[in-house]
Amino acid sequence: MDSRMLAICCILVVMAACLPTTVSDNCECRKSRDCGEILENNPSAVSDDYVIKPHDGRSAFTVYCDMKQGGEWTDGGWTVIQRREDGSVNFYHNWAEYKEGFGNVHSEFWLGNEKIHRITSNGDYELLIEITDHLNVLRLARYSHFGIGTEDSNYNMSITGLRGYGFRGTAGNPMEFDNGQPFSTFDRDNDEWSSGNLAVTGKGGWWYRLFTNANLNGPYRTPGPIAAGSGPGINWYSHTWPTYLYSHKKIVMMIKRARITLSNIVRGSFQVRYRMDCRMLVIGCALVVMASSCQIDVPDICECSTAASSLRDCGEILQRDSSAQSGVYVIQPHDGEPELTVYCYMKQDTGWKDGRWTDNLWTDGGWTVIQRREDGSENFYRNWAAYKAGFGNVNSEYWLGNEQINRLTSDGNNELLIEMTDHLNETRVAKYSHFHIGNEESDYTLTISGYRGTAGDSLTSQHSYNGEPFSTYDRNNIDIVGGANCAVNAKGAWWYGPCYISNLNGQYLTPGPNPFPYNGIIWRSFKSTSAYSLKKVVMMVKRAS
């Protein structure tokens, strides 16, 4: 458009930004689109998990933001999309899992191709990769342009240079060879190698072309040189590490919007997006008018009022929108605290069915899922810190985190619903009218009572777990004669009284009679034995009516 029309647009934008606005129920204008925008709005923000919402009209999600500042590489505002550090998470996943993401943002994880696409489709993004070898030498690779396409393009990767350079760093540059490549997994081969599937060869998921030069999602091996023929590792083949026979110790992949300079604005090579207060927006508009060739995309500017904060749980979401469907939502249990990404079970089954009235005893909707077991894809034999923070993928197997469960259940009376399925696909339920866990100082002590259901009561009848603290293999809080650690013996983490009456965070074994008694997913009253491992479990909470 010409300068006069652009000036009029800017004036309208300023008027719209400064006038009182009606804020939508879900308060979407409060959420930043990436970690860089969070740091712009709060220069004192620290590295941690945050909720972001790219400007695409879709749901928000949780990411880890690297906010450390202090040089060319550590300029803060990076959105972490991948982390490898100890081998605690399996990265040999299928297409659907790489699409949705997996792992725990506080430890090892892949953010998810769909989320990476949503972030990088909002402008020009840089990619920074930190690579640490077995000698703890840290090297870096920084690319000035990175983005991936939609699923229809098989998440095709664009990794090229802008502003006169493409790659900088100390780690070498094997990734630009794969520019333009679609993503591949063991169940979807999109590489150019005619002799097989490189995702199978490399035991990972990546933008493979003809080789596994970069294989940062490969298997976690003992860091350092690896023997020929022993299989792939976390590879980065370059002049710095000129061999495939080497597996790295730590990897962090991060993205952020590229910096906007005056020369870039004048060239019109960037889409200019402003997130400023009303006075700064006037100045910004004047600069854009001078450039005249830029596109304007003004995001949500004015902050939401406190009254429009996120809803505190899935029950409140369903109260606000009775047609809400089961899926991933962002909630905020208490004002002023970080938001949480959770899975909400909204299924409702009420009315006449099969000639009788269903009373909504079990499926009344609005449940916040705190745990799910279904296929063994996630390791649940974890330490105290992992259970405190939570781990897994809310779309598949996960533990929400003791800290988050405490936040959810600390206000009012909450119910607990557990759905359990055996290897014959029979589903039974246990519902407790009162459920709460304390804070970390109490070792997340369990308060539970009021059983109803069809699965039997393995939390308050055969032995009452009410008042028991949580235990993990590295923090034993149960007083048993001889000092036994139930978390070690049962290969799980739980509010143990006796070790083997309930153990829903035990090992995922072949569903059915258990050849390794007591190590499986146990609910003794379901099968009248502890030597039986369940196929599926879902634990959910909601505020009592």
Side-chain angles (χ1 to χ4, degrees), residues 74-88:
T74 54
D75 46 349
W78 293 94
T79 304
V80 179
I81 63 172
Q82 185 249 41
R83 185 187 291 115
R84 310 293 302 275
E85 59 184 17
D86 56 14
S88 59

Side-chain angles (χ1 to χ4, degrees), residues 170-182:
T170 56
N173 175 21
M175 276 192 71
E176 281 198 87
F177 177 75
D178 297 322
N179 179 45
Q181 277 302 114

Side-chain angles (χ1 to χ4, degrees), residues 6-18 274-290 296 298 301:
L6 194 57
I8 294 171
C9 288
C10 284
I11 292 170
L12 291 175
V13 168
V14 174
M15 291 174 63
C18 297
Y274 294 96
R275 184 178 180 87
M276 327 177 182
D277 64 28
C278 296
R279 291 167 296 179
M280 289 303 297
L281 187 62
V282 175
I283 299 172
C285 284
L287 290 174
V288 174
V289 170
M290 293 171 60
I296 298 180
V298 182
I301 297 165

